[in-house]
Amino acid sequence: MAKQELKLKTSESEKITINLGPIDLGQIDLLVQEGFYSNRTDLIRTAIRNQLNAHADVVKQTVARKSLVLGMQHYSRADLEAIQAAGQRLQIQVLGLASIASDVSVELALATIESIFVLGALHASTVVKTALAGRIH
């Protein structure tokens, strides 16, 4: 079930809200109307991807410098139990999606996760997020 849960989460996207002035919005609507983009979201996603591509070298350098996992990192209950058995603690550092399985108890999370730094999204149960709040940066 953990693989199915992970598969569902990877297809999700995070919703953001932006404010635009009427002139910018009108220009977006014009480009959509003229067929350059299928909708407003298509234009905005394209613009964001173009900017990310323009800054790709900076992202790569920063990921390497900060020792971030780029992409998706999932922690199952078995992963955390193995870390606990080895007497280790995690410093989770992810650019993308970090997820902690829904069957991970608060006690196990507190015993094994020293810190969490995520640029992107963190998926975990509400109780685990609440318990780890002081360790999330």
Side-chain angles (χ1 to χ4, degrees), residues 20-57:
L20 295 173
I23 295 172
D24 291 339
L25 191 56
Q27 291 179 74
I28 291 171
D29 287 343
L30 176 69
L31 291 172
V32 169
Q33 185 181 46
E34 292 297 311
F36 288 94
Y37 299 93
S38 58
N39 54 45
R40 291 174 173 176
T41 300
D42 183 31
L43 181 144
I44 293 166
R45 281 189 185 133
T46 300
I48 290 170
R49 285 185 188 120
N50 288 341
Q51 285 301 302
L52 292 174
N53 285 336
H55 299 288
D57 289 339

Side-chain angles (χ1 to χ4, degrees), residues 5-16:
E5 174 187 4
L6 184 59
K7 188 183 291 185
L8 290 174
K9 288 188 177 188
T10 59
S11 67
E12 293 178 2
S13 59
E14 295 290 322
K15 186 175 188 170
I16 63 169

Side-chain angles (χ1 to χ4, degrees), residues 56-119:
D57 289 339
V58 172
V59 171
K60 283 181 185 178
Q61 292 169 7
T62 304
V63 165
R65 182 171 39 88
K66 292 188 174 191
S67 300
L68 298 170
V69 171
L70 179 62
M72 183 179 63
Q73 186 71 48
H74 178 71
Y75 297 94
S76 68
R77 186 178 75 201
D79 294 334
L80 296 183
E81 287 170 344
I83 289 165
Q84 185 177 36
Q88 298 176 344
R89 292 176 55 94
L90 287 173
Q91 293 179 343
I92 298 171
Q93 298 186 138
V94 175
L95 188 153
L97 171 65
S99 65
I100 300 170
S102 59
D103 63 347
V104 169
S105 69
V106 168
E107 295 78 15
L108 181 59
L110 288 170
T112 56
I113 300 172
E114 184 175 306
S115 64
I116 300 175
F117 176 76
V118 176
L119 295 169

